[in-house]
Amino acid sequence: METGDHKDCLGVIMPVRDALDVINGKWKLPIIIAISRGHKRFRDIERNIPKITSKVLSKELKDLEAHKLIKRSVFDSQPVSVEYTLTPYADTLNPVIDALFVWGTQHRKTIFGSSEPQG
Amino acid sequence: METGDHKDCLGVIMPVRDALDVINGKWKLPIIIAISRGHKRFRDIERNIPKITSKVLSKELKDLEAHKLIKRSVFDSQPVSVEYTLTPYADTLNPVIDALFVWGTQHRKTIFGSSEPQG
DNA sequence: CTGGATCCGCTTAGATACTG
DNA sequence: CAGTATCTAAGCGGATCCAG
């Protein structure tokens, strides 16, 4: 397979871009993580994601729902409550989240350990 | 560890966000993939990434260099040529890229197979 | 108090063109 | 070939407001 130097590029880039298209932005994965951790309510999710605002969360939630990664269930209680849960499809993202977690953890060590903290 | 329902959230979100901070956006991973495939020159990278523009490529390349993921080497030839290569640190991203590739491939099948094509 | 929508400013991304 | 400049459009983020 690896005969030369300029290997197939598009065949790798395109699926990766399809994936990036879905988890695009700084919020989608954190939201999925928060929900997977048992935070199903809007404010509960909001509180568990540093610096996110209602507006952004609202928008991202809709986006995620359109991608079939989360399910929005409305309960006709008093007052109305809404629960966000992950779909089984979202669970297939676990290897991605795990890889990111591992790399991010290592990266954090690298940047904090070498010269200066970041934020 | 998994005693309850509301599990540690920040401990997962923060490293993931550190990772997302680095590979943020639609271009960084495609660029890394292109370079890893043997495309080292500016125009060569540009041509192998659909829809990227010079400006964005230029900016992303600087970003990636600042994060120590790529190395920019200037050769004093006629005319001056520049080569971008991956650092060993960039290689540690392989599990992430691989996970994204696997998921993206599957996702592509899902969206093309169910109703309508996307891009 | 929950789940948003709206107005507005700032930062980014993208199209096109240009320089060394 | 290897980028920069300029302009515009879109998206992010903050504050505020609204319905139940």
Side-chain angles (χ1 to χ4, degrees):
Chain A
M1 308 294 184
E2 325 236 337
T3 53
D5 184 49
H6 285 49
K7 286 165 268 182
D8 175 41
C9 203
L10 275 304
V12 180
I13 287 177
M14 285 168 64
V16 169
R17 285 206 52 177
D18 288 333
L20 289 176
D21 232 53
V22 174
I23 63 167
N24 194 359
K26 356 194 290 217
W27 304 114
K28 298 204 173 53
L29 253 20
I31 290 169
I32 289 175
I33 292 167
I35 297 177
S36 79
R37 258 46 199 179
H39 305 286
K40 302 164 188 258
R41 314 293 302 277
F42 192 89
R43 296 292 174 196
D44 195 14
I45 297 167
E46 189 180 1
R47 268 188 295 270
N48 277 279
I49 299 175
K51 316 247 38 161
I52 200 168
T53 63
S54 304
K55 190 181 78 174
V56 172
L57 177 56
S58 171
K59 188 201 156 225
E60 300 286 291
L61 248 13
K62 282 176 187 165
D63 234 40
L64 257 8
E65 197 188 357
H67 282 296
K68 310 285 182 196
L69 293 173
I70 65 176
K71 184 159 133 27
R72 182 176 184 273
S73 316
V74 181
F75 294 95
D76 217 29
S77 48
Q78 203 59 260
V80 162
S81 82
V82 179
E83 273 191 19
Y84 295 92
T85 49
L86 297 185
T87 62
Y89 192 43
D91 291 335
T92 66
L93 272 173
N94 279 336
V96 171
I97 293 173
D98 198 53
L100 250 7
F101 171 73
V102 169
W103 193 85
T105 301
Q106 189 55 48
H107 180 64
R108 203 176 180 80
K109 273 189 226 163
T110 303
I111 61 184
F112 276 85
S114 66
S115 47
E116 62 204 300
Q118 309 279 308
Chain B
M1 309 296 180
E2 325 236 335
T3 53
D5 184 50
H6 286 49
K7 287 165 267 183
D8 175 39
C9 203
L10 276 303
V12 180
I13 287 178
M14 285 169 64
V16 169
R17 286 205 51 176
D18 288 334
L20 288 176
D21 233 54
V22 174
I23 63 166
N24 195 358
K26 357 195 289 220
W27 303 115
K28 297 204 175 52
L29 253 19
I31 290 168
I32 289 175
I33 293 166
I35 297 178
S36 79
R37 259 43 201 179
H39 305 285
K40 302 164 189 259
R41 315 292 300 278
F42 192 91
R43 295 291 172 196
D44 195 16
I45 297 168
E46 190 179 359
R47 266 188 297 269
N48 277 278
I49 300 175
K51 316 244 37 157
I52 200 169
T53 62
S54 303
K55 190 182 98 172
V56 173
L57 178 56
S58 171
K59 187 205 156 220
E60 300 287 288
L61 249 11
K62 282 175 187 165
D63 234 38
L64 256 8
E65 197 187 357
H67 281 295
K68 308 287 182 194
L69 293 173
I70 65 177
K71 184 159 129 30
R72 182 177 184 273
S73 315
V74 181
F75 294 95
D76 215 29
S77 49
Q78 202 58 259
V80 162
S81 82
V82 179
E83 273 190 20
Y84 294 93
T85 50
L86 298 184
T87 62
Y89 192 42
D91 292 334
T92 67
L93 273 172
N94 280 336
V96 172
I97 293 173
D98 198 53
L100 249 8
F101 171 73
V102 169
W103 193 85
T105 301
Q106 189 55 47
H107 181 65
R108 204 177 180 79
K109 273 189 225 162
T110 304
I111 60 183
F112 275 84
S114 66
S115 47
E116 61 204 301
Q118 311 279 307

